[in-house]
Amino acid sequence: MSTMFRITGLIILIFALNRYECYESEIGCNRRPLGTKTEPLPPDNRFKIDIIGINDDMYIPRHQYTVRLYSNDGVSSFIAFTISAREDTKYNEKNPRKPILLDPGAIKVSPDAPSVPSPCKNSVIQSDIKPKKSIEAVWIAPAKDNKCVTIYAVLAVKQDVWYNSDGPLSKRVCEDRRNMEDMQPVENDNCQACEDARYLLTFDGIWSYNTHPGMFPKTQELARFSDVVGASHSKSFNVYKIHSEASAGLKMLAEQGNTTKLEMEILSQLGSSVRTVIKGSGRSKPNMVTTTSFRVTRQHHRVSLVTAILPSPDWFLGVSNMELCDAVTRKWAPNLTLNLYPLDAGTDSGTTFEASNDDTMPPQPISSAPINKDIPKEQIKPFAKLTFELTRTYPKLCDSEESSEPHVQEEHEYKEINNNQPTTPPPVEVSISVDPDSSSECPMTEWEDWLPCEGECIDNKLQGFQSRFRYHLVDGVAVGKYVENGPSYADKEVSRYCQENYEDSELQACEEACNQEEDS
């Protein structure tokens, strides 16, 4: 009987130690705020902890995340806190009674946050006891194969009145084991890149009957992608959002491959939440490859792109809010790659590639396309691959506002970022005609010819838009215009006044005859 009591007592002791390990797991370490000895209040949702950038409660190994502890009602405040990370364990074959502790990553002090490192491992605490409604810390996720981590907080609303890590003050996240090229970069709401940047975008179709035998049209020769359409934009704009309804423009693109209406939707935000309208055209095949370039700014550092899968009811490929300003360095990412998988616009109920029109009423939210439910999700191969390559930057002062001029289409010529460029011939003299409508303060080149009319050929009539460009002149150099062996404009800067008062691009509607049979 005495042995049974000893075992029971040992079990109770182990339970008690586990219950409070998050507060006093290390010798001499007390995670209770202000060292209080009182009992905590029960959770009441007044305060919450979040990990910014985490999707589906999964973290990417070695990525940096922002941990935010805040008042859920925006009114309540706290004076003290501890934010910590607790590791997972795994079975210890050599000593089953002593599990192996894994790595929880590292909790660090966030810049400009009133906090300091705690004497406890992987913890930060307050640096003062002034009332605060929110606080941030940095969590650097562990390397691969460390399973799950619990990020938690305790806080005091006043001396000896505190909450423990139960309920909304604790968040358990587990390692995301997907292919890195299947995951978008963590979104960054604090881009600190001073300069504008230009990226080269490559869309590479990798869809074929051989690679996707269960996800390919029966009439194989019909398989193709539409033009690629999108924008570089701010966080306030979306071409589409998963779990939200498709716009009229996306509906037309997904069902018909017609990009016109979606382009107009994007153009309506040009100059505000949209920096550059992006369009890539290529050989209309499932292995289509197309490249184009676009510009991003400190405020417009995300990109969204879509292309229709044809034929299909309403299936498309796309990326929404692709982050180009690295969340860790807060500078421009040098290169990124992303695999694209089929999405369903939720506007047509057809279940096969060649299905006849069957409008979904009411429309359903955008989701993964159920092309073949017999193929497990983890066995579905990407239909295309996107690559983004940083090709040049445009130096700017950090405290200056970004250029306000929008761009409909960027030139495909660019200056590569490479400090080891081969020796080039000396610059040649370039004859430049000055636009008489510009001023001596802000001289500009004459307008170039209008680019071809862009749009869809319907009933032998093409309706769309076309654009043209001119360039600011600084010391006789056309800033932004590439001329082989011409003078460099890398050190030339256009004044903010000239940028705001003299447009360098124009857009107009266009209409012309076309041959639908040749375009089909």
Side-chain angles (χ1 to χ4, degrees):
M1 183 67 70
S2 59
T3 301
M4 183 176 296
F5 276 124
R6 284 198 299 271
I7 293 174
T8 303
L10 181 60
I11 292 173
I12 293 173
L13 177 61
I14 292 173
F15 176 80
L17 289 174
N18 286 339
R19 176 68 179 80
Y20 290 102
E21 69 171 343
C22 61
Y23 308 130
E24 302 173 20
S25 59
E26 295 115 31
I27 297 175
C29 178
N30 184 358
R31 284 183 170 84
R32 296 175 178 231
L34 304 177
T36 181
K37 292 181 168 39
T38 60
E39 291 300 310
L41 296 172
D44 58 10
N45 289 314
R46 287 176 66 194
F47 302 97
K48 184 178 181 181
I49 194 168
D50 270 340
I51 309 173
I52 299 172
I54 288 287
N55 295 315
D56 300 323
D57 292 333
M58 294 190 294
Y59 68 84
I60 299 172
R62 296 193 182 281
H63 273 227
Q64 179 174 304
Y65 297 94
T66 297
V67 178
R68 183 169 178 251
L69 173 63
Y70 62 97
S71 163
N72 209 21
D73 57 16
V75 176
S76 303
S77 61
F78 52 95
I79 61 172
F81 64 90
T82 302
I83 297 176
S84 302
R86 183 167 63 250
E87 67 279 347
D88 216 337
T89 62
K90 70 176 181 179
Y91 180 73
N92 187 346
E93 293 182 355
K94 295 182 179 180
N95 188 353
R97 291 180 297 177
K98 188 177 181 180
I100 298 173
L101 298 180
L102 299 177
D103 181 10
I107 295 288
K108 304 284 188 180
V109 171
S110 179
D112 304 322
S115 59
V116 294
S118 167
C120 299
K121 184 180 179 181
N122 273 323
S123 301
V124 298
I125 60 175
Q126 72 288 335
S127 59
D128 60 57
I129 56 172
K130 297 177 182 178
K132 46 190 74 71
K133 296 178 182 177
S134 67
I135 191 74
E136 291 184 351
V138 171
W139 175 51
I140 301 173
K144 292 178 62 178
D145 301 323
N146 277 284
K147 297 171 67 176
C148 300
V149 177
T150 300
I151 307 296
Y152 64 92
V154 297
L155 62 85
V157 294
K158 59 178 68 174
Q159 188 76 35
D160 294 331
V161 180
W162 67 292
Y163 291 89
N164 64 18
S165 62
D166 291 338
L169 292 177
S170 179
K171 192 171 185 67
R172 180 176 170 84
V173 291
C174 297
E175 180 184 344
D176 192 331
R177 303 184 69 87
R178 291 176 296 172
N179 185 328
M180 289 295 292
E181 292 186 355
D182 289 346
M183 297 183 284
Q184 291 184 213
V186 175
E187 291 187 2
N188 178 13
D189 289 328
N190 187 23
C191 181
Q192 295 182 0
C194 297
E195 67 278 2
D196 290 1
R198 186 193 296 274
Y199 278 88
L200 177 68
L201 162 71
T202 301
F203 173 93
D204 186 5
I206 50 177
W207 179 40
S208 71
Y209 178 78
N210 292 330
T211 57
H212 300 73
M215 306 182 77
F216 207 77
K218 291 181 179 179
T219 312
Q220 297 181 25
E221 60 271 19
L222 295 180
R224 65 195 190 280
F225 295 116
S226 72
D227 289 346
V228 178
V229 177
S232 62
H233 56 84
S234 67
K235 65 180 181 180
S236 62
F237 178 81
N238 290 289
V239 172
Y240 74 91
K241 289 180 67 176
I242 295 290
H243 307 313
S244 297
E245 287 189 16
S247 68
L250 182 59
K251 178 180 187 294
M252 177 179 283
L253 175 131
E255 294 181 0
Q256 306 173 22
N258 187 332
T259 65
T260 305
K261 186 173 290 188
L262 182 58
E263 289 173 29
M264 294 304 177
E265 290 177 354
I266 298 172
L267 283 167
S268 69
Q269 300 299 316
L270 192 64
S272 55
S273 56
V274 169
R275 174 58 177 79
T276 304
V277 179
I278 302 170
K279 186 169 184 181
S281 301
R283 190 163 170 249
S284 188
K285 295 291 183 180
N287 60 349
M288 178 180 83
V289 177
T290 182
T291 61
T292 188
S293 63
F294 61 93
R295 191 157 162 170
V296 289
T297 72
R298 189 175 186 176
Q299 284 73 25
H300 303 85
H301 50 87
R302 295 179 184 172
V303 63
S304 296
L305 300 159
V306 289
T307 181
I309 299 172
L310 300 170
S312 76
D314 59 347
W315 301 333
F316 69 101
L317 302 181
V319 59
S320 178
N321 283 290
M322 178 81 171
E323 182 63 74
L324 298 180
C325 189
D326 191 281
V328 176
T329 65
R330 296 178 180 175
K331 304 297 182 182
W332 298 119
N335 51 71
L336 295 167
T337 301
L338 183 70
N339 291 328
L340 298 184
Y341 295 85
L343 297 171
D344 188 326
T347 60
D348 191 300
S349 298
T351 58
T352 63
F353 285 99
E354 294 93 345
S356 57
N357 291 339
D358 182 11
D359 286 346
T360 303
M361 296 301 293
Q364 297 300 301
I366 296 168
S367 62
S368 296
I371 296 177
N372 188 335
K373 295 181 180 180
D374 293 332
I375 301 177
K377 184 176 180 180
E378 60 273 12
Q379 294 182 15
I380 296 176
K381 297 179 180 180
F383 277 42
K385 187 184 294 287
L386 290 178
T387 57
F388 299 86
E389 180 186 355
L390 180 64
T391 56
R392 71 157 295 179
T393 57
Y394 302 81
K396 287 193 170 189
L397 296 176
C398 275
D399 58 356
S400 65
E401 295 183 12
E402 67 168 275
S403 167
S404 60
E405 81 278 10
H407 278 234
V408 175
Q409 184 176 346
E410 302 283 357
E411 320 96 276
H412 288 237
E413 302 288 353
Y414 51 86
K415 178 184 171 75
E416 293 187 359
I417 298 177
N418 187 344
N419 294 326
N420 299 313
Q421 291 286 344
T423 303
T424 57
V428 299
E429 293 187 6
V430 179
S431 176
I432 297 175
S433 299
V434 179
D435 189 339
D437 291 335
S438 60
S439 67
S440 58
E441 287 181 301
C442 302
M444 301 196 73
T445 67
E446 290 188 326
W447 287 103
E448 295 181 340
D449 293 338
W450 288 100
L451 294 175
C453 190
E454 296 282 352
E456 191 78 7
C457 184
I458 300 176
D459 297 331
N460 295 323
K461 181 184 293 185
L462 188 152
Q463 290 183 316
F465 67 89
Q466 59 185 164
S467 54
R468 66 174 182 171
F469 300 91
R470 61 178 178 174
Y471 302 88
H472 293 277
L473 290 169
V474 178
D475 299 329
V477 176
V479 177
K481 182 176 178 63
Y482 175 83
V483 179
E484 186 174 3
N485 297 331
S488 171
Y489 54 81
D491 59 346
K492 307 299 182 183
E493 186 171 352
V494 180
S495 72
R496 180 180 170 189
Y497 171 81
C498 294
Q499 291 176 349
E500 291 180 346
N501 289 276
Y502 291 87
E503 295 291 338
D504 62 359
S505 63
E506 284 187 344
L507 181 74
Q508 69 177 14
C510 57
E511 179 179 314
E512 61 183 45
C514 59
N515 189 324
Q516 193 165 2
E517 291 183 358
E518 291 181 358
D519 291 347
S520 59

